[in-house]
Amino acid sequence: MSVQAAEVFASIGLHSSSEPVPVYDMVHGWGDDVRRGRYAWADGRVQSGFLAQGWMVAWERRWHYDFRFGAETAEFYGRLEQGDNRPGDYRLQLQATALQMRGVRAGYEFEWQRFRVQPVVSLYRVDQYQAGRLQGFADSAALESASVLLDYHFDDDKLLGWPTAPEDGHGVSADLNLAYNGLRWQFEVQLQDLWNRFELPAAAFTRGCINLGFSANPVCLEDNAAAGNSGYADYHTHLQYSGQLRAVYTDLGVQLTAFWHDRYQRISAQKNWRTRIGELGLSAHSTAQLGLHWSSNWHQLALVTDQADWQQARHLQVQLALRYPW
């Protein structure tokens, strides 16, 4: 086992992908450019920490958003946001998990010949959360007639504005990084949130049936427009894991990468050149993205997007890391 140099580091990173609308619109309200889609996902992190003798310890602030839905759900919501009340029939399906959290990460890197293995464990305090499922139908005049079943857990009620007194949640997540450094080839596997669990004590919740208008396909039969129950109960959830596989041919500075997170999948190719100011790179991706990369002994910078105007980007990745060895 070799002795590694120590360093302090700080980083900011965002990886996001949204099929129906640009990532900016997903947060700030849907605009006119709505397409059929089945997911919207984003993971943002701010970290600072140190590496020493194989150990990595860092403080982290993290934002994680994961929305999965049917294509008809995206079309319906897009019309709803635009005030388009043309008749239509829509099957509504939505599963959402949104967590804002902070915590500490710690990992140790084991080396054996040309192989490296690094398990990492993160302990989080969950400050804000939204988690729930919705399924049902909207039909006829879509803005006036719908029937849905709702199972919604939250610290802040975004639907009905019910006042809450939430408690902070907590969670744990485990990552696993594997690598092989050959004479000409390098291979890396990164598995984030490979195992995780988040406990939300006394979480506010709303469960029930909502009927608007006279739905031709009611999923529940109730005399009232809404029926169900609200209250507080312990709740737990988990995140879908993310995976990345990278192969690098060092003689040519060429690398191929596959990334996946549930419905979001991307294949990438990158070419790097060594220059006086560090290593510069260009990348192309199956999600119609182009990337610029610049790294040196003290920093790493990457910008990958499918639009020159970042507010119109549906697939966006930004990474800035600074490190100081000693």
Side-chain angles (χ1 to χ4, degrees):
M1 184 178 299
S2 62
V3 178
Q4 301 179 355
E7 67 177 49
V8 294
F9 66 88
S11 66
I12 299 174
L14 170 67
H15 195 169
S16 59
S17 180
S18 170
E19 282 190 322
V21 294
V23 175
Y24 182 86
D25 288 355
M26 182 62 67
V27 177
H28 295 91
W30 290 26
D32 297 331
D33 188 10
V34 180
R35 305 173 188 173
R36 293 177 69 87
R38 302 182 305 135
Y39 72 85
W41 169 77
D43 192 84
R45 304 178 187 232
V46 176
Q47 296 183 358
S48 62
F50 68 89
L51 299 170
Q53 301 296 317
W55 285 97
M56 183 280 296
V57 178
W59 170 89
E60 180 179 75
R61 188 77 170 95
R62 184 178 180 187
W63 298 261
H64 186 93
Y65 305 93
D66 196 350
F67 302 90
R68 283 168 284 166
F69 37 80
E72 294 182 14
T73 305
E75 183 179 353
F76 168 75
Y77 187 73
R79 287 191 176 185
L80 187 68
E81 287 283 283
Q82 298 165 22
D84 182 354
N85 61 354
R86 287 177 294 170
D89 296 303
Y90 304 91
R91 182 179 180 88
L92 304 181
Q93 297 174 314
L94 170 65
Q95 181 171 341
T97 303
L99 302 178
Q100 296 186 27
M101 47 196 166
R102 66 187 68 199
V104 294
R105 292 166 54 82
Y108 185 79
E109 186 175 89
F110 300 90
E111 293 189 17
W112 179 73
Q113 296 181 357
R114 297 185 180 276
F115 295 91
R116 291 182 290 117
V117 179
Q118 183 190 44
V120 179
V121 176
S122 301
L123 301 177
Y124 291 112
R125 185 183 73 184
V126 181
D127 302 322
Q128 299 179 35
Y129 56 89
Q130 302 279 317
R133 297 181 179 182
L134 178 151
Q135 61 181 4
F137 296 92
D139 48 54
S140 299
L143 299 185
E144 300 175 0
S145 179
S147 179
V148 297
L149 290 173
L150 177 68
D151 185 2
Y152 177 37
H153 301 262
F154 50 87
D155 71 299
D156 180 21
D157 190 349
K158 303 294 185 181
L159 295 179
L160 303 176
W162 178 43
T164 61
E167 298 182 20
D168 288 342
H170 57 273
V172 58
S173 179
D175 303 343
L176 182 62
N177 302 319
L178 309 172
Y180 169 78
N181 294 324
L183 296 177
R184 293 185 175 181
W185 285 94
Q186 297 178 357
F187 298 94
E188 297 179 359
V189 178
Q190 297 179 345
L191 302 172
Q192 295 185 336
D193 301 313
L194 183 60
W195 180 88
N196 63 90
R197 183 180 175 91
F198 294 86
E199 301 285 347
L200 306 172
F205 70 87
T206 296
R207 298 190 188 97
C209 171
I210 300 176
N211 288 315
L212 302 176
F214 299 95
S215 174
N217 298 291
V219 295
C220 54
L221 299 177
E222 297 290 347
D223 295 333
N224 300 319
N229 58 81
S230 298
Y232 295 89
D234 293 344
Y235 179 72
H236 70 268
T237 187
H238 72 280
L239 308 180
Q240 294 288 327
Y241 86 98
S242 300
Q244 179 169 276
L245 173 63
R246 176 182 290 121
V248 181
Y249 187 60
T250 55
D251 287 356
L252 296 179
V254 174
Q255 65 182 48
L256 299 175
T257 304
F259 179 89
W260 63 94
H261 176 87
D262 197 48
R263 296 178 177 177
Y264 171 41
Q265 300 172 6
R266 186 181 76 176
I267 303 296
S268 309
Q270 181 174 329
K271 167 62 178 173
N272 297 326
W273 296 269
R274 293 186 179 182
T275 71
R276 293 182 179 180
I277 61 172
E279 191 168 69
L280 301 179
L282 295 175
S283 62
H285 308 260
S286 60
T287 45
Q289 293 172 283
L290 296 177
L292 299 174
H293 308 262
W294 178 28
S295 62
S296 68
N297 291 332
W298 59 272
H299 87 290
Q300 182 179 6
L301 176 64
L303 174 61
V304 182
T305 180
D306 62 341
Q307 296 287 336
D309 181 357
W310 68 272
Q311 291 187 353
Q312 298 302 314
R314 280 178 161 78
H315 309 285
L316 179 66
Q317 184 176 5
V318 180
Q319 180 72 36
L320 173 61
L322 301 175
R323 49 183 176 263
Y324 179 76
W326 81 84

